[in-house]
Amino acid sequence: MLKLRIVSPEKVVYDGEVESVTVPGTLGSFEILNNHAPIISSLADGKVVYATRQGVQTLDIHGGFVEVKQNEVSLCVEV
C-alpha cells in the first residue's frame, strides 16, 4: 500500500492509504504503484485517479507537483 496525501492551498483533500495513483504529468499521465522509484514531477490540468479500499476516486486538478519516496506520495495541487 501507498500513503497518499493530497493538499491544496485551501485544505487537505485526502490523507490515507491507496493501492495506486494515476497523475497527469506535464509529459503525459503516469501511474504510481507500490515500491515506485523516487520522483518529483510537475502536473498538468487533468484528473488524479486513486484506488482505495472503498473504490476508485477522482479529483480534477489545475496543475501542481507530485513527490514519491519510500511508498509515500505527496501531491500539492490546485483544485
Side-chain angles (χ1 to χ4, degrees), residues 5 7 18 20 27-28 41 43 45-46 51 67 79:
R5 182 170 174 92
V7 296
V18 297
S20 66
L27 297 178
S41 177
L43 301 176
D45 289 359
E67 178 186 27
V79 292

Side-chain angles (χ1 to χ4, degrees), residues 27-73:
L27 297 178
S29 113
F30 60 95
E31 184 174 29
I32 300 163
L33 299 171
N34 203 28
N35 296 320
H36 195 284
I39 187 173
I40 295 175
S41 177
S42 57
L43 301 176
D45 289 359
K47 287 189 184 294
V48 174
V49 180
Y50 51 101
T52 68
R53 288 191 173 114
Q54 292 76 30
V56 175
Q57 309 289 323
T58 61
L59 176 68
D60 289 320
I61 65 165
H62 300 290
F65 294 92
V66 60
E67 178 186 27
V68 180
K69 63 178 182 181
Q70 298 176 345
N71 290 326
E72 292 186 5
V73 182

